[in-house]
Each structure stands twice: as C-alpha cells, then as structure tokens.
Amino acid sequence: MDEVEVLKQDKATKQRFELSRILRAGLTSHRKTTYYVSQGRAIRRMVVLYTPIEDLIAENDRRCEHTDGDANIEQDRLQRGYIELTKALPWIHEKLASFEHEESDEMLRKLKRGADAARGDDTGTLKELVASWVNNDCRPTPLIRTSDKHRRGFVSDACGKLLCPAEWRWDDPVIRAGIRDRTAAFIVSENSWPLFMYQDYDADVENLERGLMKSKLLIMAFKAIFTSPSSANEVDGEGDGADIIENHRRAQRQSDQTKVKTCIRFALSNITSWRTVDGDFDYQIYWSNIVDFFENAPGPAARGRVNELLEWWTRKVFGKNHRQDLTPDVVSRMSVSALATQRQEKEDAVFDSD
C-alpha cells in the first residue's frame, strides 16, 4: 500500500472519529436539555407560579452572605420559594454550586422552558374542563363553550357568580351591574376571595374562613392536573377518613393548591392569554395571598385549622383508608398470617413425627 493511500485511510479514520464525537456530544446535550425541561415542569406546579427562578436563587445567596437575619415579607416569600424549589428538584443546589456561570444560565433557561410549558398545558386543560364542569353544575343558558373564553367572566351569570367577591351577593342586581360596569364602588381585585373558592360557592361574611378552599371546583381541578382528568369526577367522598400520605407531602401540596386556584380564576375569566393583571385583579398578589393564608397563620389555633384543612384535602384527593385499625390482633386473623401459622404447624408436625 503506497503512502498516499495510507494517508487517505488515516484521514478517513479521523473524520469518522470526529463525527462520532460530535454525535455523542449532541446526544449528551439533547439528553440534558430533555432532562432539565422535563424537571422544570414541576416548578410552576409545585414551587412558584410567577417568580423567576433567578430571584429565588438570588435571595438564598443573599442570606448565605448576610446572616444578620434581617428580611422583609417579600424576601421571606422568595426564601420559602427557594426551599420548595430544592424539595421539588433536590439536585439543583449542588448543580448551582458546581456549575460555571454560563452552565447555570443554560440550565435555568431549560428549566424555565419546561416550567412555562407546563403552565400553558395546565391552563389549556382547565380552560375546557372548567367550562364543562360549570355547565354541568350551573346549567347556564346559553351553555359556556369549552373552546371559547369571550363569553366567560362577568358577562356570564354562571362564571360571574363564581368570580364574585365573597363579601357581595351576585344575585343583587345593583352589585351585578356595578361589577359589570366596573364602577368605583364595586372593584373586583385580588383583595377579595372569589366565591368559587368556597364550599357550595357560598361565603359567611361573619366567618370568612368557614368553607374557604373547600369548593368542589378546586378539588376537581387539582385532581385533573395532579392525578388525571378522569379522576376529577370522583370528588364526592365524605372526606373524614384517616390521613394516607406523609406529612411532608401534605405540606408540599400547599403550593400545588395555590397554583390550582389561580388557574381556575383564569379559566373562569374572559381573558384569552395568560397575563399577570386582569383589569383590577393582580394574579401575582392573589397567589401571594393564598400562600400567606397557609404559611402565615396568626397563631397556633389558626395553624391547627390550616393543618385540618390540608388533612381534609389529603382525604378528598387520595381517599380514605383504615390502616390505623390494622392492629396486630386483626392482622393475625388475616389469610397471610393464618397461612404462615398453618405452614409452621405442618412443619412442626413433620418434625415431631420423626
């Protein structure tokens, strides 16, 4: 083989090696992108609905550098968000500590892509489902179209009643007209709890905590997003059984529920694209109000009521069980234990006969 042929073969080998290296690098990059995007889908569902991830990280870094403990309400919210972020993505703290600046920025961009995609998917899903649920429960005339939002909001009597602030009565024609005309006397803002958040969509103005966060619509939306759309129809259980999942998962659902309440409000409204402010209603402050209801209880009695509410949600979403009644005596009479006893008796009988 002459020298020219050898050089050609060497060049071809190098080209194949380089192509293989590029393909492997591209595959690795694709896998990382897919992983970060898929992991990012949890952020808007379980951590924060609006706040940029970078703000959560910046606040945690600030606290690491300044240990004087001085923080305002907004900084406390950011830190709680960072803690929830590390629960949802346990690996992120280590990655941020080990990555170079450009690597961290690239990872955060991919996480944000997944987070925003999940929010878009969830709002799209609820846009159709909420319309069908309201049609079934309220029987409006005309029925709300699942593919169209223009006839929702306060234009619709059914949606208007659900969006109406708890301190007013939608059935009052003066209130209804004032809300629709957006008069100064009837401003609908994030400073009011909408009636769709209340059990039976009815609030007691003398006790506004009663029934709050217990509406059928909330449970259906939660199950549609976090379990499956078909499971959303199974919400009529009593809800007074025993807890069936761990306490830390129960605590985690506080953010999940907040996201659901915000998405339902959007689904009932007539705005056609996701945005922070709808008229006088600021969704980001609304989100913070719900989080504060769970996180900033004024004392132990209120904290106890919040825990009872979360336990109620656990039972409503995941059902009842009676594991606390499975005492050793009860278990000993069940077939697994009975069979083990019978096998041992047979074994002992064979041994004694020998």
Side-chain angles (χ1 to χ4, degrees), residues 24-37:
R24 286 198 301 272
L27 181 60
T28 301
S29 176
H30 176 71
R31 285 174 177 169
K32 285 183 178 179
T33 298
T34 302
Y35 177 76
Y36 290 140
V37 171

Side-chain angles (χ1 to χ4, degrees), residues 277-320:
V277 178
D278 172 16
D280 298 308
F281 195 97
D282 190 310
Y283 280 93
Q284 190 161 2
I285 300 177
Y286 175 55
W287 159 277
S288 296
N289 289 342
I290 299 171
V291 173
D292 289 345
F293 173 84
F294 285 100
E295 297 286 351
N296 293 338
R303 168 53 55 193
R305 292 193 299 273
V306 166
N307 289 337
E308 289 175 2
L309 175 61
L310 292 170
E311 290 169 359
W312 181 89
W313 266 84
T314 296
R315 296 190 297 268
K316 276 293 185 181
V317 174
F318 296 96
K320 298 181 180 181

Side-chain angles (χ1 to χ4, degrees), residues 60 63 133 155 203 207 216 263:
N60 187 70
R63 294 193 178 214
W133 297 335
V155 174
N207 184 4
K216 179 180 178 181
C263 287

